[in-house]
Amino acid sequence: MVFRKKEKVQIKTPEQIELMRIAGAVVGQTLQTLERAVVPGVTTGQLDQIARECIYGAGATPSFLGYYGFPAVICTSVNAEVVHGIPGDKVIEDGDLISIDCGAIVDGWHGDAAISVIAGDSGSNEFLKLSDVTRKSLFAGIDAAVAGNTIGDIGAAIESEIRSHGNYGIVEDYVGHGIGTEMHMYPPVPNYGKSGSGLELKVGMVLAIEPMVTIGSPVVQVLDDDWTVVTSDGNWASHWEHSVAITASGPQILTLP
Ligand code: MG
Ligand code: MG
């Protein structure tokens, strides 16, 4: 994603946060439907079609379709794919780990969230734990999204949660972001960092927090399709994301069903 120089953080009113919650609910509902649809034998293209029906059926517009030419409604990243996988003919097999990233727009406001799902019931404990650690680190980051804290506090919370579970890789080439009237806005929200560093968090900011965690090295590369990000060492990865508002009463997740 590209951040323009001198960009300011977009501060939302409580009313605007409620509008973002509507867009976020479409995303949350779509991901809940997709989670149930991840079964061995389904193709990533079929999942994309389900997402398309969910989002348009709710009167929303998909954010990803056509974004810098992206050809689908969701990103489906399987096993060693980290993010930005393109849905298509790929068949999900028992034990696969699929990360699904979804964005939707309602009345000009965006929601953005991602889940990781293990297909079927022969998933190995190693990959169940990878997804669980990634999800826990997301919630550690959300807990740190409090006015008066900093962007570095979010990254530090995510990083320390991941480190407490073992020797995982934290992807550095892709990070979370501000979100509002555009999907990707200032500021970047890294999944690592130093407590107390960076921009101070203020009431009315909305951030997409999205740890990407690997088994092994955090080094990634982009495939020849110019989209799919994979681990360079072939180890599997997980991705979880929520759009989160910083409010006077603490962090509020906007991308719930
Ligand atoms: Mg996303
Ligand atoms: Mg995002």
Side-chain angles (χ1 to χ4, degrees):
M1 74 197 75
V2 181
F3 292 104
R4 284 181 229 115
K5 280 181 185 161
K6 291 185 183 172
E7 201 162 10
K8 282 189 175 172
V9 182
Q10 185 180 60
I11 298 292
K12 285 81 169 173
T13 65
E15 293 75 22
Q16 290 170 331
I17 287 173
E18 290 315 305
L19 293 173
M20 290 193 72
R21 198 189 300 278
I22 296 169
V26 174
V27 173
Q29 184 62 51
T30 301
L31 287 172
Q32 191 176 70
T33 302
L34 290 169
E35 182 181 12
R36 288 193 287 256
V38 172
V39 290
V42 74
T43 68
T44 52
Q46 286 170 328
L47 295 174
D48 190 65
Q49 184 58 36
I50 291 167
R52 188 178 293 254
E53 287 161 15
C54 281
I55 291 171
Y56 284 117
T61 307
S63 328
F64 297 0
L65 186 63
Y67 186 78
Y68 289 96
F70 190 77
V73 166
I74 52 173
C75 299
T76 51
S77 306
V78 182
N79 300 343
E81 298 172 354
V82 184
V83 286
H84 304 167
I86 301 172
D89 296 334
K90 187 185 294 250
V91 178
I92 299 298
E93 292 175 21
D94 204 3
D96 278 352
L97 193 175
I98 177 172
S99 301
I100 305 173
D101 197 342
C102 180
I105 313 164
V106 175
D107 290 335
W109 295 98
H110 287 251
D112 184 12
I115 58 173
S116 289
V117 188
I118 308 253
D121 39 39
S122 68
S124 84
N125 285 335
E126 186 185 20
F127 303 130
L128 289 164
K129 189 181 169 197
L130 171 66
S131 176
D132 196 45
V133 166
T134 310
R135 190 183 55 79
K136 280 185 173 139
S137 76
L138 166 60
F139 282 94
I142 291 170
D143 285 344
V146 173
N149 273 359
T150 67
I151 291 287
D153 287 320
I154 295 176
I158 293 169
E159 181 175 0
S160 95
E161 180 68 28
I162 294 165
R163 300 281 177 238
S164 76
H165 294 283
N167 191 23
Y168 292 96
I170 302 173
V171 173
E172 297 187 4
D173 290 0
Y174 298 86
V175 296
H177 50 91
I179 182 168
T181 52
E182 293 173 55
M183 177 165 57
H184 290 139
M185 304 184 80
Y186 189 81
V189 184
N191 297 304
Y192 52 89
K194 200 163 158 281
S195 191
S197 70
L199 192 76
E200 186 181 328
L201 305 179
K202 295 205 161 68
V203 168
M205 290 182 183
V206 181
L207 304 174
I209 301 174
E210 49 178 317
M212 289 149 260
V213 181
T214 69
I215 289 179
S217 162
V219 177
V220 296
Q221 61 197 68
V222 180
L223 296 184
D224 287 341
D225 64 15
D226 286 337
W227 281 105
T228 311
V229 177
V230 299
T231 62
S232 294
D233 64 9
N235 279 309
W236 290 16
S238 172
H239 177 214
W240 281 85
E241 176 180 26
H242 272 305
S243 300
V244 179
I246 292 152
T247 77
S249 54
Q252 287 189 16
I253 300 173
L254 303 182
T255 36
L256 294 173

